[in-house]
């Protein structure tokens, strides 16, 4: 029964979204950009640049819940690489906490362990042919846990890149029990379990077709995995894989000569697979300079629909709006894709239709000095007004 005069309480949230993007560049910078939207128009503006990560930042790992960012310095011209930690202030600027020297060539990192307890970050080292692990204290402090260095018995078919193991990425499986590391040099996806001390132990790997050179991997959570169906051994002793699908990153289209696939991700709603194609220049786009009518070269981004059995249906080849989309990520909703164009020195934010998966033109773009290596969204929702 309603009390007369009380009526209904209507909450009209005018959700203000403060979105920051973090961008790493081989110029030695981690840039914080703010993305603002007004009446459907977006603008990107720079509000902080950090030079603390070292000369060659290659990858960023965000710990959004704890307001921390980890930056990997690949150390392209030094014997060692390094790992830096930052805290993220409420406006998105970064405060450097710690720097630690690592085996050479860290290119990707993932946090694993107890969500509310002891955690660590596992790094994949491309030139160092290794995986390393560093304990996290929850406040940005790092301490050494483990180095695992791999070797190859036989050189793989791709002579220049398969003469030694090249760990290229570290990801966590959807249950959080296993760390997986695509190894481009060894044609393996290495699988690791870990004990209470978060020491990694290598289990049996997924062996790809010789010469595949696996670079990045993504899990399709609810129904298995695109390309390989994964079975969890009941005794926790590892994962087994069966290949269910294989295709070029161009689906039924012709694959351009020299194509070098880059990033792979599953859309936040688990319905689409999105893959970057570098060095294809196949879809020129209008010049971003309105005074110049000459089109610019553009590489591409492929979208596939994920079928429940793990097979893929090709949806779209979209322009990346520049050259070498080395890394990209979406916002939490999935209606924006931030693309790091390594050879254009630009980050573009492309619109994306969440229902159809189709990627559209840029809503904003921003020049960053040097070669862009990683683009992440940091979204802080809330602090919206409640109108009653
Ligand atoms: C958005 O941009 C368009 C085109 O430049 C302009 O006409 C419109 O006034 C802008 N809207 C707002 C709210 O700024
Ligand atoms: C962190 O380490 C890298 C590599 O040694 C170095 O270039 C950078 O200046 C260091 N940052 C700080 C804040 O000491
Ligand atoms: C962001 O916050 C930090 C720490 O509170 C402050 O030092 C800095 O001036 C702020 N930057 C901007 C652009 O507001
Ligand atoms: C630095 O690199 C050397 C040579 O690869 C390696 O032996 C050493 O362990 C590295 N240092 C650290 C702290 O990882
Ligand atoms: C290398 O050879 C050893 C000894 O034969 C074998 O146990 C190991 O599995 C091989 N490693 C690879 C990556 O093939
Ligand atoms: C997988 O697909 C690619 C692209 O069509 C093809 O080149 C390759 O031979 C296929 N691999 C296998 C093992 O069927
Ligand atoms: C880019 O593609 C061309 C062929 O179009 C090829 O010759 C070249 O090696 C490729 N570059 C890279 C870095 O893959
Ligand atoms: C384009 O030309 C106009 C008129 O000359 C000039 O005001 C504007 O700055 C130019 N824009 C760019 C991006 O160069
Ligand atoms: C126009 O753009 C093209 C393609 O990027 C470039 O090669 C050319 O130099 C530009 N022209 C002028 C006048 O800036």
């Amino acid at each position: 029964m309603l009390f007369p005069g009380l009526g209904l309480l209507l909450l009209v949230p005018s959700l203000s979204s403060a979105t920051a993007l973090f961008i790493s560049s081989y110029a030695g910078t981690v840039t914080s950009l703010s993305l603002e939207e007004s009446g459907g128009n977006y603008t990107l503006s720079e509000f902080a640049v950090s030079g603390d990560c070292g000369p060659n930042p290659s990858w960023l790992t965000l710990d959004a819940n704890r307001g921390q960012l980890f930056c990997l310095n690949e150390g392209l011209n030094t014997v060692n690489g390094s790992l830096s930690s930052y805290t993220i202030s409420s406006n998105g600027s970064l405060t450097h906490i710690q720097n630690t020297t690592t085996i050479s060539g860290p290119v990707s990192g993932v946090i694993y362990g107890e969500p509310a307890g002891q955690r660590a970050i596992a790094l994949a080292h491309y030139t160092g042919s290794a995986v390393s692990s560093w304990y996290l204290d929850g406040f940005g402090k790092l301490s050494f846990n483990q180095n695992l260095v791999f070797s190859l018995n036989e050189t793989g078919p791709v002579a220049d890149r398969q003469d030694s193991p090249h760990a290229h990425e570290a990801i966590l499986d959807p249950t959080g029990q296993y760390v997986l590391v695509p190894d481009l040099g060894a044609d393996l996806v290495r699988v690791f379990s870990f004990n209470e001390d978060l020491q990694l132990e290598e289990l049996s790997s997924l062996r790809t077709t010789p010469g595949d050179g696996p670079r990045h991997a993504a899990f399709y959570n609810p129904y298995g995995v695109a390309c390989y169906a994964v079975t969890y051994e009941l005794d926790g002793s590892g994962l087994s894989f069966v290949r269910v699908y294989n295709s070029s990153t161009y689906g039924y289209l012709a694959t351009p000569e020299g194509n070098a696939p880059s990033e792979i991700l599953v859309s936040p709603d688990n319905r689409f697979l999105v893959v970057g194609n570098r060095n294809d220049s196949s879809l020129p786009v209008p010049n971003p300079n309105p005074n110049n009518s000459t089109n610019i070269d553009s590489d591409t981004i492929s979208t596939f629909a994920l079928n429940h059995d793990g097979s893929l249906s090709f949806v779209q080849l979209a322009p990346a709006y520049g050259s070498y989309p080395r890394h990209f990520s979406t916002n939490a909703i999935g209606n924006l894709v931030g693309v790091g164009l390594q050879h254009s020195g630009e980050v573009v934010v492309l619109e994306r239709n969440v229902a159809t998966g189709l990627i559209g033109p840029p809503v904003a773009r921003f020049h960053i000095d040097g070669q862009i290596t990683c683009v992440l969204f940091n979204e802080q929702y809330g602090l919206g007004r409640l109108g009653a």
Side-chain angles (χ1 to χ4, degrees):
M1 177 183 143
L2 287 174
F3 290 99
L6 186 58
L8 294 171
L9 179 68
L10 297 178
L11 299 177
V12 186
S14 59
L15 194 66
S16 66
S17 67
T19 299
L21 277 84
F22 297 123
I23 295 126
S24 58
S25 162
Y26 276 156
T29 54
V30 180
T31 303
S32 307
L33 298 181
S34 75
L35 179 65
E36 276 157 45
E37 186 260 2
S38 168
N41 296 335
Y42 289 82
T43 42
L44 279 172
S45 50
E46 176 183 292
F47 63 89
V49 181
S50 163
D52 292 326
C53 175
N56 314 113
S58 59
W59 182 264
L60 300 170
T61 298
L62 178 65
D63 186 357
N65 292 337
R66 287 174 179 74
Q68 289 164 17
L69 186 73
F70 300 90
C71 177
L72 281 56
N73 162 40
E74 197 171 344
L76 294 172
N77 302 306
T78 50
V79 173
N80 292 94
S82 60
L83 167 65
S84 291
S85 57
Y86 298 86
T87 53
I88 304 167
S89 73
S90 56
N91 65 26
S93 69
L94 301 172
T95 304
H96 187 264
I97 303 293
Q98 198 187 329
N99 223 5
T100 186
T101 303
T102 69
I103 288 182
S104 71
V107 289
S108 166
V110 71
I111 295 168
Y112 68 98
E114 288 296 325
Q118 181 64 61
R119 299 177 323 141
I121 185 168
L123 310 184
H125 299 264
Y126 183 91
T127 46
S129 305
V131 168
S132 68
S133 169
W134 304 83
Y135 291 119
L136 306 176
D137 79 340
F139 300 95
K141 283 271 188 313
L142 307 159
S143 52
F144 178 71
N145 176 14
Q146 200 181 9
N147 281 334
L148 295 168
V149 183
F150 312 116
S151 59
L152 264 190
N153 293 346
E154 266 177 57
T155 296
V158 185
D160 57 335
R161 300 192 70 189
Q162 295 195 309
D163 53 348
S164 57
H166 291 306
H168 210 307
E169 191 184 31
I171 64 169
L172 202 56
D173 82 300
T175 69
Q177 287 179 86
Y178 298 104
V179 173
L180 280 76
V181 175
D183 184 331
L184 188 150
D187 281 326
L188 295 174
V189 178
R190 299 180 188 271
V191 179
F192 301 86
S193 63
F194 47 88
N195 63 14
E196 282 178 3
D197 293 330
L198 306 188
Q199 296 242 295
L200 296 168
E201 184 195 348
E202 192 168 4
L203 307 173
S204 66
S205 309
L206 160 63
R207 188 171 286 279
T208 69
T209 305
D212 273 3
R215 181 181 195 275
H216 281 194
F219 274 93
Y220 172 38
N221 299 347
Y223 310 112
V225 162
C227 301
Y228 291 90
V230 178
T231 306
Y232 284 75
E233 304 299 345
L234 291 177
D235 59 1
S237 63
L239 302 173
S240 62
F241 301 88
V242 176
R243 189 167 67 195
V244 293
Y245 186 79
N246 176 52
S247 140
S248 140
T249 59
Y250 291 81
Y252 52 75
L253 301 175
T255 305
E257 183 87 22
N259 171 49
S262 55
E263 186 54 281
I264 181 167
L265 66 77
V266 171
S267 61
D269 60 7
N270 271 302
R271 293 172 55 230
F272 296 96
L273 188 72
V274 189
V275 185
N277 298 300
R278 294 170 296 178
N279 195 43
D280 81 348
S281 305
S282 67
L283 293 179
V285 290
N287 204 301
N289 179 347
N291 298 341
N292 187 332
S293 58
T294 307
N295 282 345
I296 59 163
D297 279 352
S298 173
D299 291 337
T300 58
I301 298 178
S302 302
T303 295
F304 295 84
L306 282 158
N307 305 315
H308 290 188
D309 64 357
S311 64
L312 305 174
S313 302
F314 185 66
V315 170
Q316 183 199 26
L317 188 70
Y321 286 85
S323 186
Y324 270 58
R326 168 166 167 154
H327 185 258
F328 53 84
S329 59
T330 70
N331 60 346
I333 302 170
N335 67 344
L336 297 173
V337 187
V339 185
L341 295 162
Q342 186 176 3
H343 288 183
S344 303
E346 267 203 317
V347 54
V348 291
V349 177
L350 305 179
E351 63 183 18
R352 178 175 177 276
N353 183 316
V354 176
T356 62
L358 295 173
I359 291 174
V363 296
R365 57 198 315 155
F366 198 87
H367 169 78
I368 302 271
D369 285 340
Q371 301 186 25
I372 297 177
T373 55
C374 192
V375 177
L376 296 181
F377 283 84
N378 182 42
E379 289 166 282
Q380 297 167 314
Y381 289 101
L383 305 179
R385 284 207 206 102
L386 292 179

